Amino acid sequence: MGIKGHSINLLKSYLTNRRQMVKLGTFTSDSLDNKYGVPQGSTLGPLLFNLFISDLSTMLANTKHILFADDLVITENESQISDLQEKLKYTHTTIIKYFAENGLVINAEKCNIMIFNKKSNMKDIKLNIDNHQLETVKQFKYLGVILDEKLTLKVNNEQIYKKMANMIYAIKRNRKYLNEQLTFKLITAMVYSTLNYGISIYYLFLTKILDKKLNRLFHQTLTLIIPGHPDDAKTKYKILDVRQRFIYFTSIFVYKAINEKNHMFKNYDLNSYQLRGN
């Protein structure tokens, strides 16, 4: 990787001769040598871990995958479940071998299989890690977004609505103790952050009913900031509505995908996909 001399010696010094212990109340355990891993909670930890597993993507060069820190997702597509099973078995064997050779351990209980298909009653795919059969699930939370087997994002979008509604209710109950600017800051931190996260994805799956509900909640936030004058709040603080946020964050994503050298979608051949409706 081009790291040598004083730099590699500094990293070696940083990682070696470390010890760890557990403290609970007045009890302290014996200390043990920490021979593996990186210091938890350290600034360098995530970077060093990413460097350590950087060759995993090379091992999976012929497999579609998404690697985010220590979170790995393997994707395959086939029309027949038997063909899909064989593909995943091969990839599964490659990953198990890589982890064994590099002293890494897979937490089998946190591994799941999800089959995206419009059909019902699909057969489960059977894969095992350390004699633990991976569970085939109907929905799964990945990086904060709840995916379901039909890709409707129904559960995810309902969760967003409920979370926003609960936060707005909490702020509304305490509004009399808050001034205008503090109310705006709280709403931005608690409500708008929830609305913003993943909006480039989930907005496209909103039903008409839920879209109206989210817009009603958004209107409530404006009324909380400046009671009786929602339009004034929107103008004064330059607040984007729900649809405007979708356009804004999607535009940023597309711009980065086109212009950033190392963007995750930089090497995708977008021309091979049908991006326009008939």
Side-chain angles (χ1 to χ4, degrees), residues 52 75 82 113 127 153 162 165 215 224 235-236 255-256 264 274:
F52 181 71
T75 63
S82 57
I113 298 171
L127 291 176
L153 266 65
K162 289 177 183 178
N215 277 286
L224 281 172
T235 302
K236 180 178 180 179
Y255 176 84
K256 288 182 176 180
M264 61 183 294
Q274 176 55 261

Side-chain angles (χ1 to χ4, degrees), residues 84-99:
L84 188 59
Q85 171 93 31
E86 288 304 312
K87 268 192 173 183
L88 288 174
K89 272 188 177 180
Y90 174 79
T91 305
H92 169 262
T93 303
T94 303
I95 293 172
I96 295 296
K97 181 182 178 183
Y98 174 87
F99 273 63

Side-chain angles (χ1 to χ4, degrees), residues 138-149 151-164 194-207 210 214:
K138 294 185 179 299
Q139 64 181 48
F140 186 78
K141 191 172 187 178
Y142 179 63
L143 300 181
V145 178
I146 303 174
L147 303 173
D148 59 89
E149 60 181 351
L151 278 180
T152 64
L153 266 65
K154 180 181 178 182
V155 175
N156 179 78
N157 294 346
E158 288 176 348
Q159 285 288 95
I160 291 171
Y161 172 78
K162 289 177 183 178
K163 189 175 180 180
M164 286 178 59
T194 301
L195 180 63
N196 293 344
Y197 188 79
I199 193 169
S200 296
I201 300 171
Y202 78 74
Y203 183 83
L204 297 170
F205 295 85
L206 285 175
T207 61
L210 198 53
L214 282 180

Side-chain angles (χ1 to χ4, degrees), residues 87-126:
K87 268 192 173 183
L88 288 174
K89 272 188 177 180
Y90 174 79
T91 305
H92 169 262
T93 303
T94 303
I95 293 172
I96 295 296
K97 181 182 178 183
Y98 174 87
F99 273 63
E101 291 176 348
N102 288 278
L104 296 170
V105 178
I106 299 178
N107 189 340
E109 293 183 357
K110 289 187 176 181
C111 297
N112 298 108
I113 298 171
M114 178 178 282
I115 304 172
F116 298 101
N117 199 297
K118 292 182 179 180
K119 298 178 182 178
S120 57
N121 301 321
M122 291 289 294
K123 291 183 179 179
D124 290 348
I125 292 176
K126 299 187 183 300

Side-chain angles (χ1 to χ4, degrees), residues 10-263:
L10 181 63
L11 288 175
K12 184 178 179 181
S13 173
Y14 174 72
L15 294 172
T16 54
N17 297 321
R18 285 187 171 272
R19 300 180 68 81
Q20 65 182 33
M21 64 179 67
V22 176
K23 185 175 182 181
L24 181 61
T26 57
F27 173 79
T28 303
S29 69
D30 295 332
S31 62
L32 296 172
D33 289 329
N34 192 349
K35 298 179 180 179
Y36 306 99
V38 293
Q40 187 174 3
S42 63
T43 303
L44 268 180
L47 174 61
L48 293 176
F49 179 79
N50 285 334
L51 288 173
F52 181 71
I53 64 168
S54 60
D55 57 339
L56 178 56
S57 288
T58 303
M59 294 281 291
L60 299 172
N62 297 320
T63 303
K64 292 180 182 178
H65 65 282
I66 302 171
L67 182 61
F68 185 84
D70 62 346
D71 203 320
L72 175 65
V73 173
I74 303 296
T75 63
E76 294 286 4
N77 61 288
E78 286 291 343
S79 57
Q80 298 297 323
I81 197 74
S82 57
D83 295 333
L84 188 59
Q85 171 93 31
E86 288 304 312
K87 268 192 173 183
L88 288 174
K89 272 188 177 180
Y90 174 79
T91 305
H92 169 262
T93 303
T94 303
I95 293 172
I96 295 296
K97 181 182 178 183
Y98 174 87
F99 273 63
E101 291 176 348
N102 288 278
L104 296 170
V105 178
I106 299 178
N107 189 340
E109 293 183 357
K110 289 187 176 181
C111 297
N112 298 108
I113 298 171
M114 178 178 282
I115 304 172
F116 298 101
N117 199 297
K118 292 182 179 180
K119 298 178 182 178
S120 57
N121 301 321
M122 291 289 294
K123 291 183 179 179
D124 290 348
I125 292 176
K126 299 187 183 300
L127 291 176
N128 291 279
I129 297 178
D130 295 333
N131 296 320
H132 175 87
Q133 183 171 320
L134 303 188
E135 180 185 3
T136 301
V137 297
K138 294 185 179 299
Q139 64 181 48
F140 186 78
K141 191 172 187 178
Y142 179 63
L143 300 181
V145 178
I146 303 174
L147 303 173
D148 59 89
E149 60 181 351
K150 305 299 181 187
L151 278 180
T152 64
L153 266 65
K154 180 181 178 182
V155 175
N156 179 78
N157 294 346
E158 288 176 348
Q159 285 288 95
I160 291 171
Y161 172 78
K162 289 177 183 178
K163 189 175 180 180
M164 286 178 59
N166 289 336
M167 290 177 177
I168 289 171
Y169 176 72
I171 295 172
K172 187 182 294 185
R173 288 189 61 183
N174 295 280
R175 178 61 178 91
K176 60 183 177 181
Y177 306 111
L178 308 171
N179 61 32
E180 181 184 308
Q181 289 192 342
L182 184 54
T183 302
F184 169 68
K185 289 180 180 179
L186 277 175
I187 289 174
T188 300
M190 298 171 65
V191 184
Y192 293 157
S193 61
T194 301
L195 180 63
N196 293 344
Y197 188 79
I199 193 169
S200 296
I201 300 171
Y202 78 74
Y203 183 83
L204 297 170
F205 295 85
L206 285 175
T207 61
K208 289 183 179 180
I209 295 175
L210 198 53
D211 186 20
K212 288 180 180 179
K213 286 184 175 181
L214 282 180
N215 277 286
R216 279 200 293 268
L217 288 181
F218 172 76
H219 187 269
Q220 287 181 36
T221 64
L222 300 178
T223 304
L224 281 172
I225 296 169
I226 303 181
H229 301 278
D231 291 337
D232 291 345
K234 193 173 187 293
T235 302
K236 180 178 180 179
Y237 293 99
K238 299 178 181 179
I239 302 172
L240 301 179
D241 62 31
V242 180
R243 179 169 175 76
Q244 287 171 336
R245 287 169 191 271
F246 163 70
I247 295 171
Y248 174 74
F249 286 106
T250 303
S251 299
I252 291 176
F253 179 84
V254 172
Y255 176 84
K256 288 182 176 180
I258 294 172
N259 294 282
E260 287 188 0
K261 182 179 179 181
N262 296 318
H263 194 275

